[in-house]
């Protein structure tokens, strides 16, 4: 589609104030249809005749803007009348906020200094067949809006009594248009609303609102006030051990709302930013506040829920809830690491460890496709992949298990949804990543040199380290092998000749075995088995089980080892131990945070320690989804629902549940591209009953029984 619009911008700098753009027009004859095409340098809210043009919030979303800036298309036919006004308020958004907050760079200064801009066209189709296009040009106007400040980290300031005093003509802006693409990702939407559970006074005398659930989004409040009354709200995730409001872990993010009231009853929520929070501290609020005045509005990518997990243990059910909430909170247009502090970035390592769970919980094909396109756009010329996508950490090295998202994520999306288009579109990016490792290593067939995150936040880390005790070059070489193997698989799906990479893979495996005959940590054992690099997989898995028992039947792993630990144990005859780790409630465990009152997944196993103190203030998110990757073990091993690799998209499945009598029952289901697959087991005095329902052909294994099954319902006993 060809467009006529120019970029336009305010003729003068408005400072912190968000500009509002305006176009007025009159319909001259009966209208048949109207479409609005719009994007901005920042995030925008568009209204026609006072009504929002769509439920899409924080448009145009976050992409690698200099290469890919999404344009939204709205059907606005029903909003038009004889006389019309289009208004578009534009905030800094991701493009022009100081992101990330913890790094200072010339590139960041450049991005923050960028001017605001608006691009848009209104296409009018009349009943007589005539067409008219109202494209952004110098006839459009701008002025100051009531949004006096808006930014991703620091929040929003709004003056409800403010009315734009002066409208001026915009000027054309020489911003590029060759980077404009039509909307590609999921829309960001307000998906749920949660009423406040209580308003209370803390021991320190603070007035705090509790929603009972950590969310990503913003608060909507209603208040009866006088013009000029002020409201000041701070956001927080947790209370301290004394029950007082706590927000030191937000670091430099102010995460605040400042609101100047108009006269009378009024309702407000921010529109150009978002927060991660469970609690609000009311620094200023007219009169005494009640819970009925506050609603938490959940904002995330508009994803269809496809997975279900439930069991007889209330603590595990809370864990499952935390995993789903963690995904919702961090799947806000990109897979972020956290939604609250001065970060909120698309960390590649977090995304790759969680992508399987993510794709079972929700339909994320479109979501990941858009993000992976940004990854390909931001890939360096040498093939390196940044730690975060969209890239905003210039000059960084590429790390094993982080950059490998370039290969792991598209392969998993193909496996879950069966659409090889993702492999076609990402193949060059995948190949360039493997070539990058080959070209930068200091020792052929190993990955040596460079800087890596290691087994990030591993519990076996030496004092003062975040990286765990697993050897960084061990991890790097293991992922070198894994990515090369997945690249070969992708090539075969696409009918490409990759003999060169098959030979490379053989040499990597050989070099790995020669250089790493022994494994020193839980994570080293796990990778050697899960990536099939050890000479004796069963012995290595047995050694892992022995090491875990000697460690007190505790996990000692971090971001790299944790996603695979239960899989390895279950696949090699140690499902009892896998369940022991899964059901453990003492620190360290998945259920420790549940017992501490968590409603989302934590960044650290002990974000709040056993004595009630905090792990730290500098890096301690309480909504960080990576460790929620345990859910894919629940789907695939505990409930036993596994897609067969040769039948991508769940065209045919293996159903092989692994029950444990420490639970009375467990059930899971996945609504796949080819139909729903569900598995449940119930422990009874007579034995274990298995209830299977599958809409696709399946291989069912229950104990010693194995059968080919057509779609249908089945019951087995063991």
């Amino acid at each position: 589609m060809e467009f006529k619009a120019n970029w336009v911008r305010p003729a003068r700098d408005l400072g912190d104030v968000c500009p509002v753009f305006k176009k007025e027009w009159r319909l001259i004859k009966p209208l048949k249809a109207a479409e609005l095409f719009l994007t901005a340098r920042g995030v925008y809210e568009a209204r026609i005749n006072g009504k929002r043009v769509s439920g899409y919030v924080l448009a145009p979303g976050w992409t690698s803007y200099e290469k890919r800036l999404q344009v939204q298309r709205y059907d606005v036919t029903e909003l038009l009348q004889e006389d019309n006004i289009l208004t578009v308020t534009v905030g800094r958004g991701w493009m022009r906020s100081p992101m990330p907050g913890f790094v200072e760079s010339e590139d960041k200064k450049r991005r923050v200094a960028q001017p605001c801009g608006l691009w848009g066209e209104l296409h009018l189709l009349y009943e007589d067949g005539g067409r008219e296009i109202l494209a952004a040009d110098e006839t459009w106007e701008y002025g100051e809006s009531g949004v006096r400040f808006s930014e991703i980290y620091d929040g929003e300031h709004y003056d409800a009594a403010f009315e734009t005093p002066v409208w001026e003509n915009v000027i054309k802006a020489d911003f590029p248009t060759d980077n404009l693409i039509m909307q590609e990702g999921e829309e960001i939407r307000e998906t749920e609303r949660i009423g406040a559970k209580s308003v209370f006074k803390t021991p320190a005398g603070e007035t705090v609102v509790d929603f009972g659930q950590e969310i990503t989004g913003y608060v909507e409040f209603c208040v009866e006030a006088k013009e000029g009354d002020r409201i000041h709200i701070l956001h927080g995730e947790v209370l301290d051990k004394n029950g007082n409001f706590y927000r030191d872990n937000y670091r430099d993010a102010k995460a605040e709302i400042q609101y100047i009231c108009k006269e009378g009853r009024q309702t407000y929520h921010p529109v150009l930013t978002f927060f991660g929070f469970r609690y609000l501290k009311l620094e200023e609020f007219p009169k005494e506040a009640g819970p009925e005045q506050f609603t938490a509005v959940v904002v995330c990518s508009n994803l269809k829920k496809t997975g279900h997990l439930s069991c007889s243990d209330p603590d595990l059910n809370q864990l499952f809830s935390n995993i789903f909430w963690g995904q919702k909170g961090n799947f806000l247009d990109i897979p972020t690491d956290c939604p609250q502090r001065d970060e909120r970035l698309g960390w590649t390592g977090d995304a790759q460890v969680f992508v399987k769970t993510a794709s079972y919980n929700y339909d994320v094909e479109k979501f990941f496709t858009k993000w992976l396109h940004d990854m390909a756009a931001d890939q360096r010329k040498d093939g390196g992949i940044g730690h975060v996508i969209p890239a905003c950490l210039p000059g960084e090295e590429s790390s094993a298990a982080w950059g490998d998202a370039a290969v792991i994520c598209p392969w998993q999306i193909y496996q879950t949804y069966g659409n090889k288009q993702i492999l076609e579109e990402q193949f060059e990016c995948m190949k360039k990543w493997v070539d990058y490792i080959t070209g930068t290593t200091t020792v052929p067939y190993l990955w040596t040199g460079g800087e890596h995150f290691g087994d990030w936040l591993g519990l076996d880390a030496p004092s003062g380290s975040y990286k765990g005790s697993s050897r960084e070059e061990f991890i790097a070489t293991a992922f070198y092998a894994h990515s090369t193997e997945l690249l070969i698989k992708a090539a075969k799906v696409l009918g490409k000749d990759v003999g060169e990479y098959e030979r490379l893979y053989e040499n990597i495996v050989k070099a790995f075995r020669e250089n790493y005959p022994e494994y020193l940590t839980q994570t080293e054992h796990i990778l050697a088995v899960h990536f099939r690099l050890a000479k004796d997989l069963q012995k290595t898995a047995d050694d892992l089980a022995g090491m875990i028992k000697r460690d007190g039947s505790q996990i000692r792993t971090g971001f790299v080892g944790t996603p695979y630990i239960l899989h390895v144990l279950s696949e090699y005859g140690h499902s009892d131990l896998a369940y022991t780790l899964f059901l453990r409630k003492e620190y360290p465990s998945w259920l420790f945070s549940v017992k501490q009152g968590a409603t989302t997944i934590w960044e650290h196993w002990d974000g709040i320690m056993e004595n009630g103190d905090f792990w730290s203030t500098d890096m301690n998110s309480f909504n960080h989804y990576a460790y929620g990757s345990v859910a894919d073990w629940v789907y695939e091993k505990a409930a036993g629902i596994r897609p067969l690799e040769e039948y991508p998209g769940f065209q045919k499945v293996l159903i092989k549940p692994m029950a444990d009598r420490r639970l009375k029952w467990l059930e899971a289901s996945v609504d796949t591209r080819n139909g729903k697959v569900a598995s449940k087991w119930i422990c009874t005095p007579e034995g274990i009953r298995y209830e299977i329902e599958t809409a696709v052909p399946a291989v069912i294994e229950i104990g010693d029984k194995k059968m080919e099954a057509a779609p249908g319902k089945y019951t087995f006993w063991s």
Side-chain angles (χ1 to χ4, degrees), residues 628-685:
S629 58
V630 70
D632 67 51
W633 175 83
V634 182
Y635 285 112
E636 292 192 345
K637 299 301 192 303
I641 301 171
R642 306 183 219 177
L644 292 169
E645 187 172 294
E646 59 271 31
Y647 297 96
F650 289 83
Q651 298 172 66
K652 186 176 183 179
V653 297
L654 171 64
I655 303 177
K656 186 180 179 181
M658 295 181 176
D660 190 289
R661 283 192 172 274
R662 283 170 283 185
L663 291 176
K664 294 178 181 178
W665 59 269
L666 180 141
E667 65 181 10
S669 66
V670 182
D671 188 3
T672 80
R673 282 286 188 272
N674 290 286
K676 186 175 181 179
V677 182
S679 172
K680 180 176 183 178
W681 49 259
I682 306 105
C683 294
T684 75

Side-chain angles (χ1 to χ4, degrees), residues 92-103:
R92 286 189 168 275
W94 294 280
M95 179 181 279
R96 297 183 292 116
S97 290
M99 302 184 71
F102 59 90
V103 171

Side-chain angles (χ1 to χ4, degrees), residues 316-372:
L316 283 180
N317 287 331
Q318 183 64 55
L319 174 65
F320 299 153
S321 174
N322 294 359
I323 291 168
F324 279 93
W325 273 106
Q327 183 170 350
K328 284 187 289 188
N330 283 291
F331 276 42
L332 199 163
D333 208 44
I334 67 165
T336 62
D337 60 324
C338 61
Q340 76 296 95
R341 67 189 181 208
D342 57 348
E343 196 160 347
R344 314 186 201 184
L345 307 176
W347 284 91
T348 50
D350 302 52
Q352 69 88 2
V353 303
F354 191 72
V355 63
K356 182 187 288 187
T357 290
S359 68
Y360 293 172
N361 287 345
Y362 292 91
D363 187 336
V364 294
E365 182 179 18
K366 188 176 181 181
F367 175 90
F368 266 100
T369 296
K370 172 251 187 185
W371 183 70
L372 287 167

Side-chain angles (χ1 to χ4, degrees), residues 201-214:
K201 290 284 187 180
T202 70
E206 308 149 323
T207 301
V208 171
V209 182
D210 178 14
F211 292 97
Q213 172 64 56
E214 175 152 358

